[in-house]
Structure formats: structure tokens, C-alpha cells
Amino acid sequence: METVTFKPVKVPILTKSLIEELIGKEGLVKVSLDLGISKVKAFIEDNVLKVDNIELDLTELSESIDDENGVYALKNGELLKIAFFKDGNYYKLRAVSHHTAPTLEINGIHMHRIEGITPWRDAMEKVKLLKVRKCHRVLDVCTGLGYTAINSMRKGACEIYTIEKDPNVIGIASYNPWSHKLSDPRIKILLGNAVEVIENFPENYFDRILHDPPRFTKVSSELYTLDFYRELYRILKPGGRLFHYVGEPGRRRCKSMIQGVRKRLKMAGFSVLFQGAGGIICERVV
């Protein structure tokens, strides 16, 4: 287990849809270069965007950006697509739109719900169902882009431990403006296998646990076992609440998997309350 110091990379962020929206405009405009978090004043003349000390040829950018949902960073005067192959996987920051939080894709599988909902709203719903309150200590299993950890902090949690197994995910998050609050001292990023990391926590340590694993596969199956659930139960305080993301329950195979998860959670000692936001909400009664 290693504690990671999160270092945001603060550079202008662009998408193809943003560039195309600006093409043809003239004069003073307000533009977001951080995926909708804030807006700055800029000036457009003959499809050249001028903001601070930066000049961008919008026509040239539109022609050079070939990925409709790609996210690009303007770093050291060069346009850098926030996507890469590493360790046998393809990582990509995928834009939902140019004015909201993106999702993370690994090998083409996105890590948030995006149909009829934004990734940020997805995280907000999960944290709301978890009922995070002021001064709670929260465990966030599977950091990803950090949206649930950040929203737990926004709800008043004063100490959040978030576990991420893949350092490449932290690297891609560093370019995402919506992830930058992971640098807040209330959030502690632990790099390691969650199955091993949680063994280091004492009993009854957390008020809330948000378990947001990737969809069930051979690789992620260890995060769905009875032994892992028993460890989550051990480190959760009596009266504490667990949110366990499992995916959408509409498919036959998924329904069968969810039934198995519910059964194992009950065997671990949890009281299963209900399902919502693609997950199962439980409590530790004693």
C-alpha cells in the first residue's frame, strides 16, 4: 500500500464540440477551458481564439481533432489527446459534452453511467444514497476519476480514504479538471489492491463505505467475494451504511449476478435495504 500525492495538471482542456461551437463567432465571448467548471473572457477574430497569452486557430484545431468524444490538453504549445496504451490496456478520458465531467474508458468500457445521466450526477446520486454527513469518515473503494470521493467531501466528510489499484488511472485523472480536488488534504489516495489494503484498517473505523468496483469480470471478481464483504463489514461502524455498485439490473445475467451479491452481503452480516443508482444499499445493524 502506498499513499499517493495527487498532482493536478492545470492546462487548457479542449474538445471537438467546443471548437465547433466557437467556429464562426466573432468578438468577445466567454469560453470554458476546463470542461464547464468555469468560464473566461476571450476574443475571436477570423476563427482565431485569443485568451490570455494563447492564440488558437479554430479551423486548424477542428481539422486536427479526429475523435468526436476525445478530451485534449493544450500543453507546452502542443495538443495532447488524453488517452494512451499502457500495461496492455487502453485508457481514455471520454467527453460526454464540453461543459460537464467526462468519464474514464478502459479498453472501451466506460467507468460511469452515461445514458440519461452525466458521470458527475451519477457520483452525486451514489453519495446521496450513502447519506454522507458532516465529519463522517468515508472509504471509497476504486477511485477512478475521484468523483465519489470529491462528492463525499462536498457533503461534509472530513476524512476520505480512496483506494485505486491502477496508477495509470491516477495519471489520467491528473489532467481532468473535475478530478483536481483529489488534491484536498481531506482525501487520502491509497495505491494498492483493495483486498489487501482494507486489512490495514481497524474494526468499526468508517461511518460510510462506497464500493464502486468495475463490472464483474474475472479480473474484478475478488471485489465481489464473501471474504471481501466480511472485511467491509468488519471496518464499518455499527449503524454505518454501504453502497455497492453492481450495474443495471435489466439483463438476465445481471439479475442473477445481483442476486448472488445480495446473498453474500447478507451472509457477511449486512442488512440489505434497497437498490438504487445502479447499486445495493446496505447497513451494518450491529
Side-chain angles (χ1 to χ4, degrees):
M1 181 179 68
E2 174 189 353
T3 302
V4 175
T5 300
F6 186 79
K7 298 179 180 179
V9 180
K10 297 184 178 182
V11 293
I13 300 296
L14 305 171
T15 64
K16 191 173 183 68
S17 63
L18 172 63
I19 299 303
E20 292 181 343
E21 183 181 277
L22 294 174
I23 286 178
K25 291 187 176 181
E26 289 286 328
L28 188 66
V29 297
K30 285 188 176 181
V31 60
S32 177
L33 299 176
D34 55 11
L35 296 174
I37 293 176
S38 65
K39 288 188 175 182
V40 295
K41 291 181 180 179
F43 192 82
I44 300 177
E45 184 177 16
D46 296 329
N47 281 331
V48 175
L49 177 71
K50 301 176 183 179
V51 52
D52 296 329
N53 297 320
I54 302 171
E55 289 193 9
L56 301 174
D57 186 318
L58 298 175
T59 304
E60 185 179 297
L61 282 173
S62 180
E63 293 173 352
S64 62
I65 294 178
D66 58 359
D67 189 340
E68 294 288 340
N69 55 36
V71 179
Y72 295 79
L74 190 64
K75 188 176 183 182
N76 300 325
E78 296 184 4
L79 197 63
L80 171 68
K81 184 177 179 179
I82 307 174
F84 53 83
F85 281 102
K86 196 169 183 180
D87 301 328
N89 295 309
Y90 181 64
Y91 303 85
K92 175 184 172 180
L93 201 59
R94 182 188 190 278
V96 176
S97 77
H98 60 263
H99 50 73
T100 192
T103 187
L104 170 67
E105 281 189 353
I106 302 178
N107 300 327
I109 300 173
H110 50 79
M111 299 294 115
H112 301 89
R113 294 183 298 155
I114 60 172
E115 295 182 10
I117 192 171
T118 66
W120 191 256
R121 175 60 62 179
D122 177 38
M124 289 178 65
E125 286 191 3
K126 292 170 182 175
V127 172
K128 182 178 179 180
L129 289 174
L130 194 59
K131 292 188 176 180
V132 175
R133 298 290 184 261
K134 186 176 180 180
C135 291
H136 272 171
R137 181 183 286 138
V138 176
L139 175 64
D140 175 46
V141 182
C142 301
T143 308
L145 296 178
Y147 296 165
T148 47
I150 293 168
N151 273 287
S152 294
M153 181 178 67
R154 293 175 72 236
K155 281 291 187 179
C158 54
E159 191 174 8
I160 303 110
Y161 290 86
T162 181
I163 305 171
E164 178 54 55
K165 183 178 182 179
D166 190 343
N168 297 314
V169 170
I170 302 299
I172 209 166
S174 67
Y175 281 91
N176 176 23
W178 288 83
S179 301
H180 285 177
K181 288 188 178 179
L182 281 173
S183 61
D184 191 284
R186 286 169 288 184
I187 299 176
K188 298 174 177 61
I189 303 174
L190 306 176
L191 188 62
N193 187 326
V195 173
E196 299 170 357
V197 171
I198 63 172
E199 294 177 354
N200 295 290
F201 293 114
E203 294 182 8
N204 309 332
Y205 193 67
F206 292 101
D207 299 284
R208 299 288 187 267
I209 297 177
L210 202 153
H211 181 36
D212 196 3
R215 67 176 64 176
F216 184 87
T217 63
K218 289 183 179 180
V219 176
S220 64
S221 61
E222 62 183 354
L223 300 177
Y224 291 81
T225 65
L226 175 58
D227 287 343
F228 187 72
Y229 295 162
R230 282 173 172 160
E231 277 295 290
L232 294 179
Y233 183 88
R234 179 185 67 82
I235 62 178
L236 185 64
K237 292 179 181 178
R241 179 169 281 209
L242 164 74
F243 177 93
H244 182 344
Y245 181 75
V246 290
E248 300 300 332
R251 300 170 187 170
R252 183 177 299 176
R253 180 178 177 275
C254 191
K255 284 183 177 180
S256 175
M257 186 272 289
I258 291 172
Q259 289 173 357
V261 169
R262 290 173 66 99
K263 180 179 178 180
R264 291 190 296 277
L265 286 169
K266 290 179 179 179
M267 290 174 64
F270 288 104
S271 173
V272 176
L273 301 178
F274 57 92
Q275 291 180 205
I280 298 172
I281 298 86
C282 309
E283 281 187 347
R284 175 178 171 176
V285 179
V286 294

